[in-house]
């Protein structure tokens, strides 16, 4: 795995924690989350405020995202969601299951948008939180199609998984054009994912997930539907 730069990781961690906090985050919460010296976090926060990426809310001394961060997010992440959302909604209608969009974040991934299942018992992803590429179906897509930061010689975050297992899974994913996760993350949940292509690069992954007992036998069909819909919108992986 690629080593992390401590300063960059702390700054990114601050922004990600603020995004996840509905009411913003206090300086003390950011210190506790990062497990770093208060003086260091304060300097990073003040720098982000000066650059417009954070704003201090007068009442309560909490920090929320500033216009700089919103402008940056709107220029890329939001555009990907807007491009793929029609596909997501049609796929959710057709499968009845939860459809989720994931993007690579360094050597990890984050779920950024979801269309919920119509069933009362369904898979519900946690959005805007970093998670390991392995063994999620979306992560396997990024590994297979060499998304930025992805490692293909090991299972990121899972040193107990032999390299040859990863290689076989990646080769299978590339050959058939989709990746699966059948009870690997959560025993009773199964998912299938396909790649989303923009300007010739896999920039996101689209997954369909639900209770294993209901969806497992339909994973290949869901992948086929997803790839066809993406191709119709000019977003599919060339086959």
């Amino acid at each position: 795995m690629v080593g992390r730069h401590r300063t960059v990781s702390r700054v990114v961690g601050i922004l990600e924690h603020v995004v996840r906090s509905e009411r913003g985050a206090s300086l003390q919460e950011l210190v506790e989350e990062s497990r770093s010296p208060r003086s260091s976090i304060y300097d990073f926060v003040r720098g982000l405020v000066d650059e417009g990426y954070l704003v201090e809310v007068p009442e309560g001394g909490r920090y929320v995202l500033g216009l700089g961060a919103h402008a940056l997010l709107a220029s890329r992440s939001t555009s990907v969601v807007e491009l793929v959302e029609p596909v997501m909604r049609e796929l959710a209608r057709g499968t009845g299951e939860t459809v989720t969009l994931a993007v690579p974040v360094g050597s990890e991934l984050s779920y950024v948008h979801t269309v919920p299942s119509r069933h009362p018992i369904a898979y519900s992803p946690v959005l805007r939180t970093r998670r390991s590429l392995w063994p999620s179906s979306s992560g396997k897509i990024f590994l297979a199609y060499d998304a930025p930061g992805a490692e293909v010689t090991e299972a990121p975050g899972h040193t107990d998984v032999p390299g040859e297992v990863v290689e076989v899974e990646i080769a299978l994913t590339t050959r058939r054009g989709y990746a699966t996760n059948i009870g690997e993350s959560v025993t009773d949940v199964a998912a299938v994912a396909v790649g989303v292509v923009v300007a010739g690069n896999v920039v996101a992954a689209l997954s369909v997930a639900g209770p294993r007992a209901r969806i497992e036998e339909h994973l290949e069909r869901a992948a086929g539907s997803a790839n066809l819909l993406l191709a119709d919108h000019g977003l599919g992986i060339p086959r």
Side-chain angles (χ1 to χ4, degrees):
M1 295 293 291
V2 177
R4 290 186 173 181
H5 189 287
R6 181 180 300 177
T7 299
V8 173
S9 294
R10 286 176 175 174
V11 171
V12 170
I14 289 170
L15 292 171
E16 290 183 341
H17 185 71
V18 170
V19 168
R20 292 195 300 268
S21 305
E22 292 184 4
R23 300 185 302 112
S26 68
L27 180 62
Q28 183 59 35
E29 290 170 349
L30 294 172
V31 170
E32 293 173 357
E33 173 74 12
S34 67
R35 300 178 182 176
S36 301
R38 185 182 183 88
S39 58
S40 297
I41 298 303
Y42 177 79
D43 287 342
F44 292 144
V45 168
R46 293 315 308 169
L48 289 167
V49 170
D50 290 342
E51 295 296 329
Y53 283 84
L54 291 180
V55 173
E56 184 175 4
V57 180
E59 300 80 11
R62 305 183 72 82
Y63 295 91
V64 298
L65 288 185
L67 291 177
H70 287 296
L72 183 63
L73 291 170
S75 66
R76 184 167 180 177
S77 289
T78 304
S79 63
V80 174
V81 172
E82 290 173 348
L83 283 173
V84 182
E85 188 168 30
V87 173
M88 295 178 68
R89 294 197 175 281
E90 189 166 349
L91 190 58
R93 282 195 297 270
T95 63
E97 302 293 352
T98 303
V99 178
T100 304
L101 183 69
V103 297
V105 181
S107 57
E108 298 170 303
L109 65 81
S110 178
Y111 297 137
V112 295
H113 188 59
T114 189
V115 177
S117 167
R118 64 170 177 258
H119 299 288
I121 298 176
Y123 172 67
S124 181
V126 178
L127 300 182
R128 302 180 188 87
T129 298
R130 286 176 180 249
R131 61 184 67 210
S132 172
L133 294 176
W134 189 275
S136 76
S137 57
S138 292
K140 291 173 183 176
I141 288 293
F142 296 139
L143 291 168
Y145 293 99
D146 199 22
E151 300 282 350
V152 295
T153 58
E154 61 181 45
H158 295 264
T159 56
D160 58 324
V161 180
E164 53 268 27
V165 171
V166 178
E167 292 175 7
V168 169
E169 184 78 17
I170 296 313
L172 179 62
T173 296
T174 305
R175 184 169 71 250
R176 63 190 183 182
Y178 65 87
T180 60
N181 177 351
I182 303 175
E184 295 173 76
S185 298
V186 181
T187 305
D188 297 330
V189 174
V192 63
V194 301
V196 178
V197 174
V198 175
N201 298 307
V202 174
V203 298
L206 200 60
S207 65
V208 180
R212 184 173 176 176
R214 189 172 68 216
I215 194 178
E216 184 172 358
E217 65 179 294
H218 304 297
L219 292 178
E220 184 175 0
R221 184 168 60 190
S225 296
N227 277 323
L228 284 174
L229 287 168
L230 286 169
D232 288 345
H233 286 74
L235 301 169
I237 294 175
R239 301 297 298 168

